[in-house]
Amino acid sequence: ADSVHPRLTQRDYAKPGDAWRSRTPVLFIPEERRQVKLDLADWGNQYEVLLDSWTPDSARFTFTHVGRGFTRVRLGAVEAPSGCVRALAEESSEKFVFYTQIRHWWLRGGRHFLWRSRRSGYYHLYLVSVVDGTERQLTAGEWNVRSLLRIDEKRGFVYFVANGFAAAKGEDPYHRHLLRVELATGKVVDLTPE
């Protein structure tokens, strides 16, 4: 800092009722040199749209839609080449969704994904099918999945870090454990019990 005196700064922040710039996902077919029109009627009232990634099979790309008011976050998918838009997963709350903490990781060539959700009050992993939308909770309890370290699809395991895992036994809830969950059964194993 070049001064010990405070500086006045301004931050432009739209308030309810103000005009709002919106972002729109777009699909192009490069070989045909054309843009595919997307039906985004159900994707209005946005605070932010974050483009995520193409699935490993290149069948679709995903985007995260954060609603104004931060009470709803959806993972949307645009199917290629049709341009069909659909929701793959949703997180909602009457008060607030910490949208920067919602994550997904692709599995099985893009046919499934892991979704980290706080809908139970704690961050946990869910296995979601892109094909039929079925969802299965993989981890549960009064502890949080902090970060995902590795997905070993060949052996069927996901390795992750969690805190609060042994808090019920009197351990400091901020202590972190390395855990493994089996994709087929949801069985969680503490790899660092000490």
Side-chain angles (χ1 to χ4, degrees), residues 9 65 116 142 169 185:
T9 60
H65 178 275
R116 185 172 75 167
E142 294 183 359
K169 298 175 185 172
T185 64

Side-chain angles (χ1 to χ4, degrees), residues 74-131:
R74 291 185 291 170
L75 178 65
V78 176
E79 303 292 329
S82 71
C84 177
V85 182
R86 64 186 176 116
L88 298 178
E90 180 175 323
E91 189 81 9
S92 61
S93 169
E94 290 181 13
K95 296 184 176 159
F96 187 81
V97 174
F98 293 92
Y99 75 95
T100 58
Q101 300 300 313
I102 304 298
R103 299 272 189 275
H104 70 281
W105 298 268
W106 293 109
L107 295 168
R108 301 173 182 154
R111 294 185 315 277
H112 291 83
F113 63 94
L114 290 176
W115 176 255
R116 185 172 75 167
S117 168
R118 194 167 190 257
R119 64 185 69 158
S120 69
Y122 295 89
Y123 287 108
H124 283 291
L125 297 175
Y126 295 77
L127 181 64
V128 183
S129 168
V130 173
V131 178

Side-chain angles (χ1 to χ4, degrees), residues 53-55 57-62 77-80 86 88 106 110 130:
S53 62
W54 282 88
T55 56
D57 61 2
S58 298
R60 66 196 58 82
F61 72 85
T62 59
V78 176
E79 303 292 329
R86 64 186 176 116
L88 298 178
W106 293 109
V130 173

Side-chain angles (χ1 to χ4, degrees), residues 118-174:
R118 194 167 190 257
R119 64 185 69 158
S120 69
Y122 295 89
Y123 287 108
H124 283 291
L125 297 175
Y126 295 77
L127 181 64
V128 183
S129 168
V130 173
V131 178
D132 62 13
T134 56
E135 189 177 284
R136 183 168 50 89
Q137 188 170 358
L138 285 178
T139 62
E142 294 183 359
W143 47 275
N144 288 296
V145 173
R146 304 274 308 196
S147 59
L148 193 139
L149 300 177
R150 183 169 182 247
I151 299 171
D152 183 349
E153 283 195 74
K154 186 183 263 187
R155 291 187 176 99
F157 296 117
V158 175
Y159 297 86
F160 61 96
V161 174
N163 71 290
F165 188 72
K169 298 175 185 172
E171 184 180 87
D172 183 333
Y174 294 102

